[in-house]
Amino acid sequence: MATPQREIPATSPYSRPFYKWLDRLAPIGLALFMMAVFVDYSWWMLKSPTHIATWRSLIFFAIWIPTTLFYVIMAIKDIAQNWNGRWEFAGPKARNPLADTVGAQKAEMQRDFFRSVTGKRYDLTQNAFFRWLFHRRWYQFAAQLPNVIIFNIVIIAGLVGVVNPNRNFATVITWYVWFGVLFVLMIGVGRAWCLICPFSAQAEWVQRLGLFGKGKKLFTRGLKWPQKYSTLLISVFFFLGLTWAEEFYNIAGPGKPAFTSMLVAGIIIWDLFYALTFERRSFCHYGCPLNGVIGVVSAVAPFEGFRAKDRTLCKTCTTKECMKGSNRSYGCGWYEYPGSMSSNFYCGLTGECFKGCPYENIGLSVHAPLKEAYQPKKKRFDLAVGVTLMMGALFFEIVNATPQYAAFDNWLSHVTGWVAIAKALDGQLSGYPNPLDYMGIILLFPLFGWIIANVGSWISRGQIKARELFTRYSYGWIPLFGLGILARQLPKVLTNGPTIAQVISDPFGFGWNMFGTADMNMHARSFAYHWILFVQLSLVIIGAVASIVVNQKISQLDFRGRPGARAINVLMNGTIVFLMVLLLGGYYYIALINPGHPLAPPF
Amino acid sequence: MATIAIVNHERCVGCELCTRACGVTHAIQLDLERNWVEVSEELCWACGACERMCPFSAIALPPWAEPNKELRDSIYAKNRKPKKSRVVAQAEEIGEEEEEEMLVGRSQ
């Protein structure tokens, strides 16, 4: 059950004065960094001769000054509280002797549920540095602050910057860099994006009235999220809505950067509303459009999130600081309990449980990838439906690049009168894509999964229910979806990504040169387009192989010895191969009809 | 249908804090296979202790629920040990006194 543990020293190796001062000075350094960025931008803004005393600089200062003031005042408050080492960890409590008797017995009774702790793992918190880092209150704040600054500049750049999307910080950062980095982070670490997410960071700072300190009172109404709407599907529907809106308003480029900044600001305000109304991180669970995607794709990552090292101890713990909070930490914002976590879907890596646990019983392990997708005993129906819906969204993004779809969509929009509605919304919009065929394409995939599950149920002569087959085998779609959607983002990221060099020096397109890279002209298209298709195809093939591995494991763990299990396994692997062929064909066809591509026909 | 606490299965993590809180009638038990708690309809008297204890608000009573004290008392009456009659209790007390006297006498 429990992994072999080294003895944890009673005192931290980082309790010497040097580290105490490091602990004090790190937040000060971050606050100074924030001030430095503000001063630098203001200086360049005041220096540009043409734009001062216009509405542009008004917007600039109206956003920068209050946000910087808020961060700096909050930081000073927290630094003052932190000064005398209030959060210094005194060392772990003695182990409860009941853990070896009652706790072990209870954990043994749930052996089947806790099957996810098997296999080789390396616990990062065995390393003294990581232990020290995760105990710091400013651990998450240090990760969030740079991102918060970047996304504040995104909002400002979208509003005041030039309209050319390739010269505007907002479009380049959000759609060319962020969307690529996001998927790499998901597949590499899991919810690393949620750790550094600037949207919920700002909302949480307001909710807690502090940047990284542990306050006593919260600034929120703290309502409970209604039970009826406690499902992942809400966030999946928001994701589908966002994808549609992004295509409809052509936000992702080349579109108006103002739309990007409105989208980002809208998400922040929406998040703030949730944070002030509901408890903890309800937004991240039930409002964030990316929650479904990030949670699902995290299963591919080799990190298992903060989790109890020894569950027997948690079984006898009555205080549960990880969930309730202590004088050094808040309770988990993500509604997770390290003592019974079996997947990393919902671990936001905030490290509050690590700070809270009086027994030092929380670890952050690295293990073989894909484990989180097949090992959980409790697989969820809403998550399964979400995966199939998102697979539909991925296929829509491929299909919408073809001329056949464009013609069909145009015809449908004229027949249904959608064009007139779109024109009424904004004169420049063409009404593309039509929501009817958008939803039609997406709904095909849950339907497909459901039909396959019914066939599987028929193979087992009704012994295994279709709902169970659908729920468990949909987890096998996860790697294919994760790598497939990364492949979809790659061309945009790789061909336009290098423009970041110019944009960093000249974020608003006013002709600044902050870092001397404004004139670096990298012709990314020339080096990206030859091989990009092959990278895409190999990603899809890797995803499909991973999916088949997951399917095999699911068959072994969940269906071994049940009627028709082998035939169902073959059927499910066939489904993955079919989806892979569809994806490969889609990417190849898009590349083929792209006039600049070497594989395209010469006419 | 009886008014009992409702568990949000999406949110419940099986920490068993509510099981500990439900100390009067022991109406809540952990489902070992699914790792969420189940509330027994016969035993839950809607006192709300579990709701106050749950850190993630995964268990809640409907807003109209009121503590069903009769149910609590009936369960309590069923479960407690039979009460000794007054005469027996007095006799025991007397016996203890005599014993004490004897002990005191011996020591003297």
Side-chain angles (χ1 to χ4, degrees), chain A residues 50-277:
Chain A
T50 49
H51 294 294
I52 189 65
T54 59
W55 58 270
R56 284 168 199 251
S57 46
L58 269 179
I59 291 177
F60 175 85
F61 287 111
I63 296 176
W64 261 117
I65 292 175
T67 46
T68 311
L69 273 180
F70 174 77
Y71 303 147
V72 171
I73 289 170
M74 286 290 158
I76 288 170
K77 189 198 108 202
D78 286 345
I79 289 163
Q81 283 183 347
N82 196 19
W83 194 256
N84 289 328
R86 252 184 61 187
W87 297 303
E88 191 57 38
F89 187 52
K93 256 197 210 173
R95 186 184 161 87
N96 186 344
L98 282 177
D100 296 326
T101 52
V102 181
Q105 206 180 0
K106 280 186 166 182
E108 182 61 27
M109 278 155 73
Q110 281 190 290
R111 194 188 189 145
D112 196 28
F113 181 82
F114 288 142
R115 65 191 186 190
S116 55
V117 277
T118 55
K120 272 188 187 172
R121 328 187 277 160
Y122 175 71
D123 188 357
L124 287 182
T125 57
Q126 288 193 351
N127 183 321
F129 170 74
F130 283 110
R131 232 174 26 247
W132 172 79
L133 179 71
F134 296 148
H135 269 309
R136 299 307 98 187
R137 284 291 326 162
W138 48 261
Y139 146 69
Q140 192 182 9
F141 170 67
Q144 286 168 332
L145 186 73
N147 229 6
V148 168
I149 295 174
I150 288 171
F151 273 84
N152 266 347
I153 300 171
V154 162
I155 295 177
I156 297 169
L159 292 176
V160 308
V162 287
V163 182
N164 178 4
N166 285 329
R167 302 286 298 170
N168 196 308
F169 192 79
T171 313
V172 171
I173 285 288
T174 315
W175 304 109
Y176 301 160
V177 179
W178 172 59
F179 238 68
V181 170
L182 181 67
F183 285 100
V184 172
L185 276 180
M186 275 184 224
I187 292 168
V189 188
R191 278 197 186 266
W193 170 259
C194 300
L195 171 69
I196 60 176
C197 174
F199 313 125
S200 51
Q202 304 189 46
E204 204 172 50
W205 295 346
V206 175
Q207 193 188 46
R208 290 176 176 177
L209 284 180
L211 298 186
F212 56 90
K214 167 72 177 75
K216 280 182 183 158
K217 279 189 179 171
L218 294 175
F219 184 60
T220 167
R221 283 201 70 197
L223 297 183
K224 295 169 187 172
W225 183 262
Q227 278 205 13
K228 226 192 268 178
Y229 306 109
S230 298
T231 163
L232 183 84
L233 287 177
I234 294 181
S235 106
V236 173
F237 284 128
F238 282 141
F239 173 69
L240 299 182
L242 191 73
T243 313
W244 179 80
E246 186 243 294
E247 293 284 339
F248 185 68
Y249 288 101
N250 204 8
I251 304 170
K256 281 186 198 167
F259 283 139
T260 303
S261 99
M262 276 190 251
L263 182 78
V264 171
I267 290 178
I268 291 176
I269 291 167
W270 189 11
D271 193 340
L272 204 60
F273 163 73
Y274 267 70
L276 294 179
T277 316

Side-chain angles (χ1 to χ4, degrees), chain A residues 9 14 69 133 153 165 207 272 302 317 373 379 433 446 448 450 488 543 581:
Chain A
Y14 293 97
L69 273 180
L133 179 71
I153 300 171
Q207 193 188 46
L272 204 60
C317 173
K379 294 196 169 75
F448 173 63
W450 187 249
R488 183 72 189 93
V581 170

